[in-house]
Coordinates of all heavy atoms in Angstrom, one line a residue:
S292 N 125.4 76.8 97.0 CA 125.0 76.1 98.2 C 124.7 77.2 99.3 O 125.6 77.8 99.9 CB 126.1 75.3 98.8 OG 126.6 74.3 97.7
K294 N 123.8 77.0 102.2 CA 124.4 76.7 103.5 C 125.5 77.6 103.9 O 125.7 78.0 105.0 CB 124.9 75.3 103.5 CG 125.6 74.7 104.7 CD 125.8 73.3 104.5 CE 127.1 73.0 103.8 NZ 127.5 71.6 103.6
A295 N 126.4 78.0 102.9 CA 127.6 78.8 103.1 C 127.2 80.3 103.5 O 127.9 80.9 104.3 CB 128.5 78.8 102.0
E313 N 121.5 75.3 95.5 CA 121.5 73.9 96.2 C 121.1 74.2 97.6 O 121.6 74.9 98.3 CB 122.9 73.3 96.1 CG 123.0 72.0 96.7 CD 123.7 72.1 98.1 OE1 125.0 72.4 98.2 OE2 122.9 71.8 99.1
S315 N 119.1 72.8 101.4 CA 119.1 71.7 102.4 C 118.1 71.9 103.6 O 118.2 71.1 104.5 CB 120.5 71.5 103.0 OG 121.4 71.1 102.0
L336 N 118.9 68.7 98.9 CA 119.6 67.5 99.4 C 119.7 67.6 100.9 O 119.3 68.6 101.5 CB 120.9 67.3 98.7 CG 122.0 68.4 98.8 CD1 122.7 68.5 100.1 CD2 123.0 68.2 97.6
E359 N 118.8 60.3 99.7 CA 120.0 59.9 100.4 C 119.9 58.5 100.9 O 120.7 58.0 101.6 CB 120.5 60.9 101.4 CG 120.5 62.4 100.8 CD 121.8 63.1 101.2 OE1 122.6 62.5 101.9 OE2 121.8 64.4 100.9
R384 N 121.8 60.2 95.5 CA 123.1 60.6 96.1 C 124.0 59.4 96.4 O 123.5 58.5 97.2 CB 123.1 61.4 97.4 CG 124.4 61.8 97.9 CD 124.3 62.9 99.0 NE 125.6 63.2 99.5 CZ 125.8 64.2 100.5 NH1 124.8 64.8 100.9 NH2 127.1 64.5 101.0
M398 N 134.2 62.4 102.8 CA 132.8 62.0 102.6 C 132.7 60.6 102.1 O 131.7 60.0 102.5 CB 132.1 63.0 101.7 CG 132.1 64.4 102.2 SD 131.2 64.7 103.8 CE 129.6 65.1 103.2
F405 N 125.3 60.1 104.7 CA 125.1 60.7 103.4 C 125.0 59.8 102.3 O 125.9 58.9 102.2 CB 126.1 61.8 103.2 CG 126.4 62.7 104.3 CD1 127.5 62.7 105.1 CD2 125.4 63.6 104.6 CE1 127.7 63.6 106.1 CE2 125.6 64.6 105.7 CZ 126.7 64.5 106.4
H431 N 124.4 62.0 92.2 CA 125.0 63.1 92.8 C 126.1 62.6 93.7 O 125.9 61.5 94.3 CB 123.9 63.8 93.7 CG 124.5 64.7 94.7 ND1 125.1 64.5 95.8 CD2 124.5 66.1 94.7 CE1 125.6 65.5 96.5 NE2 125.2 66.5 95.8
Y433 N 129.2 64.1 96.5 CA 130.0 65.2 97.1 C 131.1 64.6 97.9 O 130.8 63.9 98.9 CB 129.0 66.1 97.9 CG 129.6 67.2 98.6 CD1 130.0 68.4 98.0 CD2 129.8 67.1 100.1 CE1 130.5 69.5 98.8 CE2 130.4 68.1 100.8 CZ 130.7 69.3 100.2 OH 131.3 70.4 100.8
G435 N 133.6 66.2 99.8 CA 134.1 66.9 100.9 C 134.3 68.4 100.5 O 133.9 69.0 99.5
T436 N 134.9 69.2 101.5 CA 134.9 70.7 101.4 C 136.4 71.1 101.5 O 137.3 70.3 102.0 CB 134.1 71.3 102.5 OG1 134.0 72.7 102.3 CG2 134.6 71.0 103.9
R437 N 136.7 72.3 101.1 CA 138.0 73.0 101.3 C 139.1 72.2 100.4 O 140.3 72.2 100.9 CB 138.3 73.0 102.7 CG 137.7 74.2 103.4 CD 138.1 74.7 104.7 NE 139.3 74.1 105.4 CZ 140.5 74.6 105.2 NH1 140.6 75.7 104.5 NH2 141.5 74.1 105.9
G472 N 129.4 67.5 92.6 CA 129.7 68.0 93.9 C 130.5 69.4 93.7 O 130.2 70.1 92.8
G473 N 131.5 69.5 94.5 CA 132.2 70.8 94.4 C 133.3 70.9 95.6 O 134.2 70.1 95.7
G474 N 133.0 71.7 96.5 CA 133.9 71.8 97.7 C 135.2 72.5 97.4 O 136.2 72.3 98.2
L475 N 135.2 73.4 96.4 CA 136.4 74.2 96.1 C 136.7 75.1 97.3 O 135.9 75.8 97.8 CB 136.2 74.9 94.8 CG 135.7 74.2 93.6 CD1 135.8 75.2 92.3 CD2 136.6 73.1 93.4
G476 N 138.0 75.1 97.7 CA 138.4 75.9 98.8 C 139.0 77.2 98.4 O 139.2 77.5 97.2
E514 N 128.2 72.2 92.8 CA 127.5 73.0 93.8 C 128.6 73.6 94.7 O 129.4 72.9 95.3 CB 126.6 72.1 94.5 CG 127.1 70.8 95.0 CD 126.2 69.8 95.5 OE1 125.1 69.7 95.0 OE2 126.5 69.0 96.5
L515 N 128.6 74.9 94.8 CA 129.7 75.6 95.5 C 129.1 76.6 96.5 O 128.2 77.4 96.2 CB 130.5 76.4 94.5 CG 131.2 75.5 93.4 CD1 131.8 76.4 92.4 CD2 132.2 74.6 93.9
G516 N 129.6 76.5 97.7 CA 129.3 77.5 98.7 C 130.4 78.5 99.0 O 130.5 79.6 98.6
R517 N 131.4 77.9 99.6 CA 132.6 78.6 100.1 C 133.2 79.4 98.9 O 133.5 80.6 99.0 CB 133.6 77.8 100.7 CG 134.8 78.4 101.4 CD 135.8 77.4 101.9 NE 135.2 76.2 102.5 CZ 134.9 76.2 103.8 NH1 135.1 77.2 104.6 NH2 134.4 75.1 104.3
Y518 N 133.5 78.7 97.8 CA 134.3 79.4 96.7 C 133.6 80.6 96.2 O 134.2 81.6 95.9 CB 134.5 78.3 95.6 CG 135.5 78.9 94.6 CD1 136.8 79.0 94.8 CD2 135.0 79.4 93.3 CE1 137.7 79.5 93.8 CE2 135.8 80.0 92.3 CZ 137.2 80.0 92.6 OH 138.0 80.6 91.8
A616 N 131.9 83.2 103.9 CA 131.2 81.9 103.8 C 131.3 81.3 105.3 O 132.2 81.4 105.9 CB 132.0 80.9 102.9
Y617 N 130.2 80.6 105.6 CA 130.2 79.9 106.9 C 130.5 80.9 108.1 O 131.1 80.6 109.1 CB 131.1 78.8 107.0 CG 130.8 77.7 105.8 CD1 131.5 77.6 104.8 CD2 129.6 77.0 106.1 CE1 131.1 76.7 103.8 CE2 129.2 76.1 105.1 CZ 130.0 75.9 103.9 OH 129.7 75.1 103.0
Ligands
LIG863 C1 128.3 71.8 102.4 C2 127.9 71.2 101.0 C3 128.2 71.9 99.9 C4 128.9 73.2 99.8 O1 130.3 73.0 100.2 P1 131.4 74.1 100.0 O2 132.6 73.5 100.5 O3 131.0 75.3 100.9 O4 131.4 74.5 98.5 C5 127.8 71.4 98.7 N1 127.3 70.2 98.6 C6 126.9 69.5 99.7 C7 126.3 68.1 99.7 C8 127.4 69.9 101.0 O5 127.1 69.2 102.1

Side-chain angles (χ1 to χ4, degrees):
S292 305
K294 178 176 83 180
E313 181 255 291
S315 295
L336 55 80
E359 310 223 8
R384 179 168 181 177
M398 301 294 271
F405 307 108
H431 169 284
Y433 174 78
T436 187
R437 283 191 6 92
L475 306 187
E514 49 192 36
L515 303 171
R517 190 185 316 273
Y518 187 75
Y617 302 106

